[in-house]
């Protein structure tokens, strides 16, 4: 199991990983499950890093998308043709 702290303000990776372990006690028919913390790391292959770099390069303004920019340009062109 992995938990992610989406509001983390620390400089480290905001994830914690756990592994479920069943403990069997002598003379007891039920098992007890506990979660052990395990070290974790988040890594990426070169192709993934390049893809993220391309996405970040394409993002200029979070309120304006590429599609909306294209539509606005086409509308401006149509208005120019209509006024001519």
């Amino acid at each position: 199991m992995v938990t992610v702290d989406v509001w983390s303000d620390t400089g480290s990776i905001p994830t914690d990983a756990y592994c479920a372990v069943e403990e069997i006690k002598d003379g007891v028919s039920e098992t007890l499950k506990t979660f052990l913390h395990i070290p974790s790391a988040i890594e990426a292959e070169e192709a993934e890093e390049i893809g993220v770099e391309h996405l970040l390069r394409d993002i200029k303004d979070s309120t304006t998308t590429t599609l909306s920019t294209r539509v606005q340009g086409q509308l401006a062109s149509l208005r120019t043709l209509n006024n001519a």
Side-chain angles (χ1 to χ4, degrees), residues 23-32:
E23 294 180 9
I24 301 172
K25 302 219 176 191
D26 293 335
V28 180
S29 61
E30 295 180 5
T31 60
L32 177 65

Side-chain angles (χ1 to χ4, degrees), residues 57-72:
R57 186 176 2 152
D58 291 341
I59 298 174
K60 295 180 180 74
D61 183 3
S62 63
T63 60
T64 306
T65 63
T66 305
L67 179 60
S68 66
T69 304
R70 286 185 194 169
V71 170
Q72 288 174 357

Side-chain angles (χ1 to χ4, degrees), residues 5 29 49 62 81 84:
D5 182 6
S29 61
E49 291 176 4
S62 63
L81 285 174

Side-chain angles (χ1 to χ4, degrees), residues 1-62:
M1 172 176 69
V2 175
T3 61
V4 179
D5 182 6
V6 295
W7 291 288
S8 176
D9 57 359
T10 63
S12 64
I13 298 172
T15 60
D16 288 312
Y18 300 91
C19 178
V21 176
E22 289 188 29
E23 294 180 9
I24 301 172
K25 302 219 176 191
D26 293 335
V28 180
S29 61
E30 295 180 5
T31 60
L32 177 65
K33 287 189 177 184
T34 57
F35 290 95
L36 297 177
H37 185 265
I38 55 175
S40 62
I42 298 176
E43 298 178 355
E45 296 290 327
E46 184 179 0
E48 294 168 324
E49 291 176 4
I50 292 171
V52 170
E53 287 174 7
H54 283 275
L55 286 173
L56 292 175
R57 186 176 2 152
D58 291 341
I59 298 174
K60 295 180 180 74
D61 183 3
S62 63

